[in-house]
Amino acid sequence: MKKVAFYTLGCKLNYSETSTISRMFEQKGYQKVEFNQKPDIFIINTCSVTENADKKCKKIVKEANKINPDGYVTIIGCYAQLKPQEIANIEGVDAVLGAAEKFQLIDLLDGFVKEPSGNKAKVYNQNIEEAVEYHTSYSLNDRTRTFLKVQDGCDYPCAYCTIPLARGGSRSDTIENVLKAAREIAESGVKEIVLTGVNIGDFGLQNGKRENTFLDLVKALDEVEGIERFRISSIEPNLLTDEIIAFVASSKRFVPHFHIPLQSGSNKVLALMKRRYKRELYVDRVNKIKELMPNCCIGVDVIVGHPGETDEEFLETYNFLNELPISYLHVFTYSERENTSALAIKPVVSMSKRAERSKMLHILSDKKRRFFYEEHLEDSFTVLFEEDVENGQMQGFTENYIRVTAKYDPILINEIKKIKLSNINENMLVEVEEVEVYETH
């Protein structure tokens, strides 16, 4: 029995796909092991959102070669689609598979037999236009929550982004398939599903035709028995409708937590980025959410140092975010990517300014998170407790994404319990009062 190990770089979507591919291996009789357990086959699922992700891929290949010089190293994912020949030239790589081929890798690589030393890596990589099939994917047995992919690809040509080049056009699963997967996940004992995709608000496109909407999907999922929580991973502000917000506010299973990409608080920079909204729409979406769900957690993606972003426009973004009732930021430093239109925009922001702006927004994010946590001290919420235990403490998230810590109790793992928030510790975790007192029925 050959042993196979997996390493995933990047987003929740990649984790869902790695997990699905690993189950395909196990169904074929392969033994899944940890990366350091001298596997016969290494599968590295890559990201290419930033230059750093590319460097990480090379480092992991080097580590795999150290662990087992005779191991078969296969690279899949976004970096593999964008730069297959570059990866094929990395010493120790045996095969590279693009977006249209990664789910066929067991058949394409037929036994994972290494070529004689000196032979170039096998490359299976069609034009991204060929990546039209949809592959249902979800993570399982990796953590307490499951990431369920409902949509792939993107039709939005944002100036800084390579995702359409790496994953192809927007396409979706059917509602029937998503419900089937959700029921399978429920049978495994998982309590929370995070819906993921490249542009999940665009859900409903199958074979180039719009069959359903994202609202249709969430309404159907809300009826799935056995799953106690659904969480929406990230949704574009122009696709987050009043109807979706109102449904989440009144639903049985969807939690009050939205992650909404902003990228810039300057309308001029948003136009340079080719985003499909202005800051006024973003304010409207945040206000609508807070009107219907005052306790709702709102996370924000923001990019600093995009070409053309002046000091004044960055401060516009900073002040915009500072005034909004949001809960935390995911801050990305702009990184030059080949074949993107942002490369033609001037002036280019210096690396030192990018770093300075990133630091300012990270500090703002910490302040926003602390303020959000402080607002809810002494309030009662439910927490899904996770398996990770450190120094006798276990952690979990409330429905509105407050990270809590409590004394370890094995009976609480993967259980949803009612708790009362007590105080914020030095690690920015919220301590809770005795869990047993606040048990749900």
PDB file of all heavy atoms in Angstrom, residues 74-94:
ATOM      1  N   THR A  74       4.078  15.820  -6.621  1.00  0.00           N
ATOM      2  CA  THR A  74       3.099  16.336  -7.583  1.00  0.00           C
ATOM      3  C   THR A  74       2.600  17.697  -7.122  1.00  0.00           C
ATOM      4  O   THR A  74       2.215  17.864  -5.968  1.00  0.00           O
ATOM      5  CB  THR A  74       1.891  15.381  -7.692  1.00  0.00           C
ATOM      6  OG1 THR A  74       2.361  14.081  -8.041  1.00  0.00           O
ATOM      7  CG2 THR A  74       0.904  15.857  -8.738  1.00  0.00           C
ATOM      8  N   ILE A  75       2.599  18.670  -8.045  1.00  0.00           N
ATOM      9  CA  ILE A  75       2.126  20.016  -7.733  1.00  0.00           C
ATOM     10  C   ILE A  75       0.816  20.269  -8.468  1.00  0.00           C
ATOM     11  O   ILE A  75       0.727  20.067  -9.682  1.00  0.00           O
ATOM     12  CB  ILE A  75       3.148  21.096  -8.148  1.00  0.00           C
ATOM     13  CG1 ILE A  75       4.561  20.739  -7.679  1.00  0.00           C
ATOM     14  CG2 ILE A  75       2.714  22.467  -7.616  1.00  0.00           C
ATOM     15  CD1 ILE A  75       4.778  20.709  -6.199  1.00  0.00           C
ATOM     16  N   ILE A  76      -0.203  20.694  -7.701  1.00  0.00           N
ATOM     17  CA  ILE A  76      -1.496  21.051  -8.294  1.00  0.00           C
ATOM     18  C   ILE A  76      -1.873  22.460  -7.799  1.00  0.00           C
ATOM     19  O   ILE A  76      -1.133  23.073  -7.045  1.00  0.00           O
ATOM     20  CB  ILE A  76      -2.601  20.028  -7.926  1.00  0.00           C
ATOM     21  CG1 ILE A  76      -2.810  19.988  -6.397  1.00  0.00           C
ATOM     22  CG2 ILE A  76      -2.256  18.640  -8.456  1.00  0.00           C
ATOM     23  CD1 ILE A  76      -3.983  19.116  -5.952  1.00  0.00           C
ATOM     24  N   GLY A  77      -3.015  22.975  -8.247  1.00  0.00           N
ATOM     25  CA  GLY A  77      -3.500  24.249  -7.727  1.00  0.00           C
ATOM     26  C   GLY A  77      -3.210  25.432  -8.632  1.00  0.00           C
ATOM     27  O   GLY A  77      -2.761  25.287  -9.777  1.00  0.00           O
ATOM     28  N   CYS A  78      -3.431  26.636  -8.087  1.00  0.00           N
ATOM     29  CA  CYS A  78      -3.393  27.859  -8.902  1.00  0.00           C
ATOM     30  C   CYS A  78      -2.017  28.147  -9.494  1.00  0.00           C
ATOM     31  O   CYS A  78      -1.896  28.519 -10.664  1.00  0.00           O
ATOM     32  CB  CYS A  78      -3.875  29.042  -8.071  1.00  0.00           C
ATOM     33  SG  CYS A  78      -5.634  28.935  -7.676  1.00  0.00           S
ATOM     34  N   TYR A  79      -0.975  27.998  -8.693  1.00  0.00           N
ATOM     35  CA  TYR A  79       0.389  28.216  -9.187  1.00  0.00           C
ATOM     36  C   TYR A  79       0.703  27.235 -10.316  1.00  0.00           C
ATOM     37  O   TYR A  79       1.334  27.584 -11.312  1.00  0.00           O
ATOM     38  CB  TYR A  79       1.358  28.061  -8.003  1.00  0.00           C
ATOM     39  CG  TYR A  79       2.823  28.313  -8.275  1.00  0.00           C
ATOM     40  CD1 TYR A  79       3.259  29.192  -9.260  1.00  0.00           C
ATOM     41  CD2 TYR A  79       3.796  27.679  -7.484  1.00  0.00           C
ATOM     42  CE1 TYR A  79       4.617  29.418  -9.475  1.00  0.00           C
ATOM     43  CE2 TYR A  79       5.148  27.903  -7.689  1.00  0.00           C
ATOM     44  CZ  TYR A  79       5.558  28.761  -8.680  1.00  0.00           C
ATOM     45  OH  TYR A  79       6.897  28.981  -8.891  1.00  0.00           O
ATOM     46  N   ALA A  80       0.226  26.002 -10.173  1.00  0.00           N
ATOM     47  CA  ALA A  80       0.458  24.975 -11.200  1.00  0.00           C
ATOM     48  C   ALA A  80      -0.234  25.324 -12.511  1.00  0.00           C
ATOM     49  O   ALA A  80       0.258  24.994 -13.591  1.00  0.00           O
ATOM     50  CB  ALA A  80      -0.021  23.612 -10.688  1.00  0.00           C
ATOM     51  N   GLN A  81      -1.387  25.986 -12.429  1.00  0.00           N
ATOM     52  CA  GLN A  81      -2.070  26.396 -13.656  1.00  0.00           C
ATOM     53  C   GLN A  81      -1.371  27.573 -14.308  1.00  0.00           C
ATOM     54  O   GLN A  81      -1.209  27.619 -15.520  1.00  0.00           O
ATOM     55  CB  GLN A  81      -3.531  26.771 -13.346  1.00  0.00           C
ATOM     56  CG  GLN A  81      -4.308  27.289 -14.545  1.00  0.00           C
ATOM     57  CD  GLN A  81      -4.471  26.264 -15.667  1.00  0.00           C
ATOM     58  OE1 GLN A  81      -4.643  25.073 -15.402  1.00  0.00           O
ATOM     59  NE2 GLN A  81      -4.400  26.715 -16.916  1.00  0.00           N
ATOM     60  N   LEU A  82      -0.905  28.515 -13.489  1.00  0.00           N
ATOM     61  CA  LEU A  82      -0.337  29.752 -14.028  1.00  0.00           C
ATOM     62  C   LEU A  82       1.081  29.580 -14.560  1.00  0.00           C
ATOM     63  O   LEU A  82       1.450  30.170 -15.571  1.00  0.00           O
ATOM     64  CB  LEU A  82      -0.337  30.841 -12.947  1.00  0.00           C
ATOM     65  CG  LEU A  82      -1.707  31.378 -12.529  1.00  0.00           C
ATOM     66  CD1 LEU A  82      -1.561  32.303 -11.330  1.00  0.00           C
ATOM     67  CD2 LEU A  82      -2.392  32.111 -13.675  1.00  0.00           C
ATOM     68  N   LYS A  83       1.895  28.782 -13.871  1.00  0.00           N
ATOM     69  CA  LYS A  83       3.308  28.682 -14.241  1.00  0.00           C
ATOM     70  C   LYS A  83       3.799  27.230 -14.247  1.00  0.00           C
ATOM     71  O   LYS A  83       4.713  26.861 -13.500  1.00  0.00           O
ATOM     72  CB  LYS A  83       4.155  29.521 -13.286  1.00  0.00           C
ATOM     73  CG  LYS A  83       3.830  31.010 -13.357  1.00  0.00           C
ATOM     74  CD  LYS A  83       4.862  31.851 -12.649  1.00  0.00           C
ATOM     75  CE  LYS A  83       4.569  33.321 -12.857  1.00  0.00           C
ATOM     76  NZ  LYS A  83       5.528  34.184 -12.132  1.00  0.00           N
ATOM     77  N   PRO A  84       3.205  26.392 -15.087  1.00  0.00           N
ATOM     78  CA  PRO A  84       3.557  24.966 -15.077  1.00  0.00           C
ATOM     79  C   PRO A  84       5.014  24.694 -15.430  1.00  0.00           C
ATOM     80  O   PRO A  84       5.653  23.832 -14.816  1.00  0.00           O
ATOM     81  CB  PRO A  84       2.606  24.344 -16.104  1.00  0.00           C
ATOM     82  CG  PRO A  84       2.185  25.487 -16.986  1.00  0.00           C
ATOM     83  CD  PRO A  84       2.162  26.689 -16.091  1.00  0.00           C
ATOM     84  N   GLN A  85       5.538  25.409 -16.419  1.00  0.00           N
ATOM     85  CA  GLN A  85       6.922  25.144 -16.837  1.00  0.00           C
ATOM     86  C   GLN A  85       7.916  25.586 -15.767  1.00  0.00           C
ATOM     87  O   GLN A  85       8.937  24.932 -15.538  1.00  0.00           O
ATOM     88  CB  GLN A  85       7.221  25.836 -18.174  1.00  0.00           C
ATOM     89  CG  GLN A  85       6.418  25.276 -19.349  1.00  0.00           C
ATOM     90  CD  GLN A  85       6.574  23.764 -19.518  1.00  0.00           C
ATOM     91  OE1 GLN A  85       7.631  23.192 -19.252  1.00  0.00           O
ATOM     92  NE2 GLN A  85       5.501  23.107 -19.946  1.00  0.00           N
ATOM     93  N   GLU A  86       7.610  26.697 -15.111  1.00  0.00           N
ATOM     94  CA  GLU A  86       8.472  27.172 -14.027  1.00  0.00           C
ATOM     95  C   GLU A  86       8.543  26.122 -12.911  1.00  0.00           C
ATOM     96  O   GLU A  86       9.615  25.840 -12.373  1.00  0.00           O
ATOM     97  CB  GLU A  86       7.904  28.483 -13.476  1.00  0.00           C
ATOM     98  CG  GLU A  86       8.748  29.121 -12.389  1.00  0.00           C
ATOM     99  CD  GLU A  86       8.189  30.463 -11.935  1.00  0.00           C
ATOM    100  OE1 GLU A  86       8.093  31.378 -12.786  1.00  0.00           O
ATOM    101  OE2 GLU A  86       7.841  30.580 -10.750  1.00  0.00           O
ATOM    102  N   ILE A  87       7.393  25.524 -12.586  1.00  0.00           N
ATOM    103  CA  ILE A  87       7.367  24.495 -11.543  1.00  0.00           C
ATOM    104  C   ILE A  87       8.076  23.227 -12.018  1.00  0.00           C
ATOM    105  O   ILE A  87       8.794  22.578 -11.263  1.00  0.00           O
ATOM    106  CB  ILE A  87       5.916  24.164 -11.133  1.00  0.00           C
ATOM    107  CG1 ILE A  87       5.251  25.394 -10.547  1.00  0.00           C
ATOM    108  CG2 ILE A  87       5.879  23.022 -10.118  1.00  0.00           C
ATOM    109  CD1 ILE A  87       3.767  25.241 -10.313  1.00  0.00           C
ATOM    110  N   ALA A  88       7.878  22.879 -13.280  1.00  0.00           N
ATOM    111  CA  ALA A  88       8.510  21.672 -13.831  1.00  0.00           C
ATOM    112  C   ALA A  88      10.032  21.746 -13.736  1.00  0.00           C
ATOM    113  O   ALA A  88      10.707  20.710 -13.665  1.00  0.00           O
ATOM    114  CB  ALA A  88       8.080  21.465 -15.281  1.00  0.00           C
ATOM    115  N   ASN A  89      10.560  22.956 -13.696  1.00  0.00           N
ATOM    116  CA  ASN A  89      12.016  23.131 -13.602  1.00  0.00           C
ATOM    117  C   ASN A  89      12.542  23.097 -12.172  1.00  0.00           C
ATOM    118  O   ASN A  89      13.757  23.128 -11.960  1.00  0.00           O
ATOM    119  CB  ASN A  89      12.418  24.461 -14.264  1.00  0.00           C
ATOM    120  CG  ASN A  89      12.259  24.411 -15.780  1.00  0.00           C
ATOM    121  OD1 ASN A  89      12.404  23.352 -16.396  1.00  0.00           O
ATOM    122  ND2 ASN A  89      11.938  25.539 -16.385  1.00  0.00           N
ATOM    123  N   ILE A  90      11.635  23.046 -11.188  1.00  0.00           N
ATOM    124  CA  ILE A  90      12.079  22.968  -9.792  1.00  0.00           C
ATOM    125  C   ILE A  90      12.634  21.565  -9.541  1.00  0.00           C
ATOM    126  O   ILE A  90      11.975  20.559  -9.848  1.00  0.00           O
ATOM    127  CB  ILE A  90      10.924  23.254  -8.807  1.00  0.00           C
ATOM    128  CG1 ILE A  90      10.387  24.672  -8.990  1.00  0.00           C
ATOM    129  CG2 ILE A  90      11.383  23.051  -7.357  1.00  0.00           C
ATOM    130  CD1 ILE A  90       9.131  24.973  -8.176  1.00  0.00           C
ATOM    131  N   GLU A  91      13.829  21.498  -8.999  1.00  0.00           N
ATOM    132  CA  GLU A  91      14.455  20.195  -8.748  1.00  0.00           C
ATOM    133  C   GLU A  91      13.599  19.370  -7.787  1.00  0.00           C
ATOM    134  O   GLU A  91      13.162  19.853  -6.739  1.00  0.00           O
ATOM    135  CB  GLU A  91      15.848  20.401  -8.134  1.00  0.00           C
ATOM    136  CG  GLU A  91      16.650  19.115  -8.025  1.00  0.00           C
ATOM    137  CD  GLU A  91      18.044  19.352  -7.463  1.00  0.00           C
ATOM    138  OE1 GLU A  91      18.490  20.522  -7.413  1.00  0.00           O
ATOM    139  OE2 GLU A  91      18.666  18.359  -7.083  1.00  0.00           O
ATOM    140  N   GLY A  92      13.326  18.126  -8.191  1.00  0.00           N
ATOM    141  CA  GLY A  92      12.578  17.217  -7.323  1.00  0.00           C
ATOM    142  C   GLY A  92      11.103  17.126  -7.632  1.00  0.00           C
ATOM    143  O   GLY A  92      10.400  16.288  -7.068  1.00  0.00           O
ATOM    144  N   VAL A  93      10.596  17.965  -8.553  1.00  0.00           N
ATOM    145  CA  VAL A  93       9.180  17.887  -8.933  1.00  0.00           C
ATOM    146  C   VAL A  93       9.012  16.833 -10.026  1.00  0.00           C
ATOM    147  O   VAL A  93       9.742  16.827 -11.016  1.00  0.00           O
ATOM    148  CB  VAL A  93       8.655  19.254  -9.417  1.00  0.00           C
ATOM    149  CG1 VAL A  93       7.266  19.119 -10.038  1.00  0.00           C
ATOM    150  CG2 VAL A  93       8.612  20.243  -8.261  1.00  0.00           C
ATOM    151  N   ASP A  94       8.037  15.943  -9.853  1.00  0.00           N
ATOM    152  CA  ASP A  94       7.805  14.864 -10.824  1.00  0.00           C
ATOM    153  C   ASP A  94       6.634  15.126 -11.762  1.00  0.00           C
ATOM    154  O   ASP A  94       6.621  14.636 -12.885  1.00  0.00           O
ATOM    155  CB  ASP A  94       7.570  13.546 -10.079  1.00  0.00           C
ATOM    156  CG  ASP A  94       8.802  13.094  -9.308  1.00  0.00           C
ATOM    157  OD1 ASP A  94       9.776  12.674  -9.959  1.00  0.00           O
ATOM    158  OD2 ASP A  94       8.807  13.207  -8.068  1.00  0.00           O
TER     159      ASP A  94
END
